[in-house]
Amino acid sequence: MSVIDILTRVDVLCKKYEKYDLDKQRGAADSMSGNDQFLRLYTVLEADIEAAIQKSQDAQSEKNRAVVATLNAEVRRSKSALQAEIPKLEKLAEKKVKDLSKEEMAARPDLVVALAQKIQDIPDGVTVGRRGGTWGAKAGASKPVEIKVDAMHPDDLMRPEHYEQTEESLGFKQEYEARRAKQDEGLDVIAAGLTTLKDMAGDINEELNKQMPLIDEVDTKVDKAAADLKNTNVKLKETLIKMRSNRNFCVDIILIVIILGIGGYLYTYISTPFTSPFI
Amino acid sequence: MASDKASNSNPKVAEAEKLVKKADKLTKFSFTKWFPDWTAATPLYEQAANAFKLAKMPEAAKIAYEKAATGQERSSSPWSAGKHLESAGGLARELGNFDEVIDLYKRASELYVQCGKVQPAADALDKGARAVEDVKPDAAVRMYIDACALLEEDGRDQMAFDSYRSAASIYIKLNRYEDAATVFLRWGQAADKCKAVQSQCKAYLSAIIVYLFADNFNLADASYNDCSQMDSFFKSDQNHCAVQLLSAYREGRPDEIKHVVSTSSVIPHLDHMVIRLAKQLPSGKVTAIVDETGHNGLDEDDLR
């Protein structure tokens, strides 16, 4: 067996039986408890942040709105709890801890700030782009000056320049006025079109009311005409039947035969003048 | 070509003339004939009239139509008689005998009334009036108004609207604005009877505008007071416009008047002749109408 193999085997065995290593555990606990509360709180907060981020990611990928709402609420709750913990962490950061290098001591406040920022950045379903984003429809380009809501310091309010119009605000106002005027124009056009429509609709209404009794009259007249036609047709049928009844046919045929007979007799009579007794 | 046509129609014309002569013989009194035979003569006259019309001889056709109409009348079919008279009237218009046109159409209308058919009667009067309105506007207007009266008697007010409109337009053309306004008010009344609210309001607004155009503010105001008693007018946009116009007149501000007319949403939907008048408002001088009674008859010093 080579040295490397031995070393790796030792590492594996140590890891396996780590929990039996009382010294190490006591050392870890020592370093965690009592001496370095900062680190402990820091790790706890970090774990909570991770959990909150996980939850917010679930919320973003979730389709069911109710579930999204609950997840968001939980994320917000944990965020506020974490933010409450930040001041404590800041205080701990200032405390001196032994066995810690000077650089690390200096780095701790920055770590605290970074952690606070991380907490703030957890997406919790509240409107995105609260900081430095553009407002709704009225704004044109994004503002170089950030607009903060309810973030006024009392000193700011007392400054006289606060109430003056800056270039951006003037331009903003002008654009607002221009757009409003355009909207008004459009609305005027729509109003004019609507009045015309209303007038036409009223006229159509009156015309229809006018035509209604006329159509009723036409209806009755056509019904009467149809009934008359029906009657006439029936009578005509009866008359035709009478004309063409079988009895009449027979009478017609008999009469035709008689006439033919008479005609034939006359023909023979004329064609034989000598033998006819009637000369 | 023309000669061909003449030669083609000549035999037809000659035939038609023969028919007329034959029919005349049938209808004339003579020793052998004690009673004229209209039943035989009428179809002959009709044929002849058609032939003359096709041959474009309106004079002869008209005479033939009239005679055919008389025949139908005697045979107690006033409907056909009326139809023939109408055709005769149309031909008379072509010929330019406008008095005859009026006469023929009036007779036709009477015949229609005899059959009990009111609508065709009114239509006949309308047609006659339209035929002569350029030349004899007074007679035309009277015919229009008679047509309206006929229809109103029969209860068919709605069909009278067109006649009212024509009558009013003729009056406006003749610059008889008071008469035109009166016609509009009558129109409004007819519309009220058949619940045609839109026409009613438009008619009333037109009347007010015409009165204002005639520089007669008092009449306009009085008619507005009458009209506003009616609920249907009072609630309408036309009422609103009328109020604005009258108040502008009362204050004597021509620019306000023009503004009301140009921005109004109802005026462009009135009849075009009324729109023309409205656009010319204010006509004449507009002064503020001062209320003569002053402080309503009460004086401040009169507190006793």
Side-chain angles (χ1 to χ4, degrees):
Chain A
M1 246 201 288
S2 60
V3 179
I4 299 168
D5 289 336
I6 294 173
L7 278 172
T8 39
R9 230 180 134 205
V10 165
D11 276 330
V12 168
L13 283 169
C14 282
K15 229 179 261 176
K16 203 169 161 189
Y17 297 108
E18 220 175 46
K19 55 185 175 186
Y20 299 113
D21 193 351
L22 289 167
D23 284 332
K24 199 172 177 195
Q25 290 218 357
R26 220 180 288 134
D30 269 347
S31 69
M32 292 280 281
S33 67
N35 289 356
D36 210 347
Q37 283 174 330
F38 173 81
L39 208 57
R40 193 169 14 139
L41 195 54
Y42 188 83
T43 31
V44 166
L45 287 184
E46 251 189 339
D48 287 338
I49 289 171
E50 287 302 313
I53 289 178
Q54 183 60 38
K55 246 189 246 170
S56 69
Q57 277 172 354
D58 285 339
Q60 277 175 355
S61 60
E62 182 64 51
K63 287 268 175 12
N64 188 346
R65 287 271 174 156
V67 179
V68 167
T70 11
L71 285 172
N72 278 341
E74 280 176 28
V75 166
R76 281 182 220 130
R77 199 164 41 88
S78 24
K79 257 175 89 170
S80 49
L82 289 167
Q83 274 169 340
E85 296 282 313
I86 293 289
K88 234 199 276 177
L89 196 62
E90 280 174 2
K91 249 195 276 179
L92 285 174
E94 320 237 310
K95 253 208 214 155
K96 260 198 151 256
V97 182
K98 54 181 175 183
D99 302 332
L100 219 54
S101 61
K102 270 226 172 81
E103 294 96 30
E104 272 200 45
M105 280 301 298
R108 280 197 178 179
D110 293 331
L111 281 173
V112 173
V113 171
L115 200 66
Q117 181 64 38
K118 225 170 151 192
I119 293 173
Q120 197 88 307
D121 282 341
I122 299 176
D124 61 353
V126 181
T127 48
V128 184
R130 194 190 285 169
R131 297 178 118 250
T134 52
W135 281 104
K138 287 202 186 141
S142 56
K143 313 245 167 300
V145 178
E146 279 182 1
I147 299 174
K148 293 191 196 126
V149 183
D150 288 340
M152 293 272 126
H153 294 287
D155 317 326
D156 268 346
L157 287 170
M158 297 318 278
R159 270 188 295 134
E161 300 100 57
H162 183 72
Y163 291 105
E164 275 177 13
Q165 291 187 347
T166 61
E167 264 174 44
E168 289 93 5
S169 76
L170 264 174
F172 171 67
K173 192 169 180 194
Q174 275 171 359
E175 193 164 349
Y176 161 72
E177 299 283 340
R179 285 190 184 215
R180 192 177 176 178
K182 229 169 159 189
Q183 277 184 359
D184 283 341
E185 263 175 42
L187 283 174
D188 283 335
V189 170
I190 293 175
L194 279 175
T195 45
T196 312
L197 269 178
K198 177 183 170 203
D199 179 70
M200 286 205 286
D203 285 341
I204 291 174
N205 182 28
E206 281 185 1
E207 196 60 39
L208 284 172
N209 286 339
K210 211 199 280 188
Q211 304 287 345
M212 220 171 49
L214 296 177
I215 292 184
D216 289 336
E217 266 182 49
V218 169
D219 198 23
T220 33
K221 285 193 183 158
V222 166
D223 284 339
K224 189 159 154 294
D228 282 342
L229 267 174
K230 226 169 147 186
N231 280 344
T232 315
N233 275 345
V234 167
K235 278 193 206 145
L236 194 64
K237 212 169 157 189
E238 284 174 17
T239 319
L240 274 176
I241 287 171
K242 251 206 297 195
M243 296 287 291
R244 287 193 184 175
S245 68
N246 287 339
R247 203 159 49 107
N248 285 345
F249 257 132
C250 294
V251 170
D252 289 337
I253 288 170
I254 289 171
L255 285 171
I256 287 169
V257 165
I258 290 173
I259 286 171
L260 281 173
I262 293 175
Y265 183 65
L266 281 171
Y267 177 68
T268 46
Y269 167 67
I270 288 170
S271 61
T272 56
F274 296 108
T275 54
S276 161
F278 288 103
I279 287 177
Chain B
M1 247 334 188
S3 60
D4 265 340
K5 226 173 160 185
S7 61
N8 272 346
S9 57
N10 256 336
K12 289 223 177 83
V13 169
E15 210 184 299
E17 280 172 5
K18 252 191 273 177
L19 285 169
V20 170
K21 271 202 202 94
K22 200 164 151 206
D24 276 336
K25 251 193 280 188
L26 284 170
T27 58
K28 237 196 299 222
F29 282 113
S30 63
F31 273 121
T32 46
K33 268 199 153 338
W34 290 87
F35 301 102
D37 189 8
W38 283 107
T39 35
T42 313
L44 295 173
Y45 278 130
E46 282 173 16
Q47 270 179 349
N50 283 336
F52 280 132
K53 195 159 154 203
L54 284 170
K56 306 236 189 303
M57 294 174 60
E59 181 67 47
K62 178 171 76 78
I63 296 174
Y65 269 125
E66 281 183 50
K67 293 208 180 120
T70 335
Q72 294 282 16
E73 218 181 316
R74 303 280 168 89
S75 329
S76 12
S77 48
W79 173 261
S80 321
K83 280 219 120 41
H84 290 316
L85 283 175
E86 275 194 35
S87 325
L91 289 163
R93 177 162 153 272
E94 272 177 53
L95 288 169
N97 306 346
F98 292 109
D99 290 317
E100 239 184 294
V101 172
I102 298 174
D103 191 42
L104 285 167
Y105 274 113
K106 275 205 185 136
R107 270 170 63 194
S109 156
E110 280 163 27
L111 285 166
Y112 285 133
V113 168
Q114 247 180 354
C115 326
K117 309 231 195 268
V118 177
Q119 182 68 49
D123 284 340
L125 283 173
D126 273 341
K127 267 188 245 173
R130 201 167 313 135
V132 302
E133 67 183 358
D134 294 322
V135 181
K136 286 183 180 290
D138 294 314
V141 160
R142 236 169 294 142
M143 283 170 88
Y144 277 129
I145 296 186
D146 287 337
C148 299
L150 258 177
L151 288 165
E152 279 181 4
E153 265 170 33
D154 203 42
R156 297 158 167 266
D157 295 270
Q158 282 202 313
M159 315 305 286
F161 288 175
D162 290 324
S163 308
Y164 276 127
R165 179 182 294 123
S166 318
S169 79
I170 294 185
Y171 272 137
I172 290 179
K173 251 195 275 183
L174 295 173
N175 293 346
R176 284 161 65 169
Y177 297 114
E178 269 88 29
D179 293 324
T182 321
V183 166
F184 276 124
L185 289 170
R186 262 184 78 178
W187 184 357
Q189 186 191 338
D192 186 48
K193 236 196 336 171
C194 45
K195 305 266 176 291
V197 175
Q198 186 157 19
S199 291
Q200 183 188 8
C201 301
K202 280 199 215 174
Y204 286 145
L205 184 62
S206 311
I208 293 174
I209 289 179
V210 168
Y211 273 136
L212 288 174
F213 186 79
D215 240 355
N216 201 332
F217 177 75
N218 296 329
L219 275 178
D221 207 20
S223 57
Y224 172 72
N225 284 337
D226 292 330
C227 302
S228 56
Q229 303 292 327
M230 273 168 271
D231 226 6
S232 41
F233 178 68
F234 192 66
K235 290 190 206 155
S236 66
D237 297 327
Q238 283 86 355
N239 175 49
H240 186 62
C241 177
V243 162
Q244 282 179 323
L245 261 181
L246 286 170
S247 69
Y249 256 94
R250 212 172 275 129
E251 292 166 14
R253 291 163 52 189
D255 52 339
E256 175 71 21
I257 295 169
K258 282 207 178 40
H259 174 73
V260 168
V261 168
S262 53
T263 57
S264 161
S265 58
V266 291
I267 289 187
H269 300 308
L270 298 171
D271 294 319
H272 55 90
M273 59 226 170
V274 179
I275 299 176
R276 233 180 291 144
L277 292 184
K279 289 221 166 37
Q280 292 172 29
L281 285 177
S283 63
K285 226 162 68 107
V286 178
T287 52
I289 316 280
V290 180
D291 199 5
E292 291 191 338
T293 57
H295 299 277
N296 284 356
L298 290 170
D299 211 348
E300 273 179 4
D301 302 329
D302 207 0
L303 295 165
R304 279 198 215 138

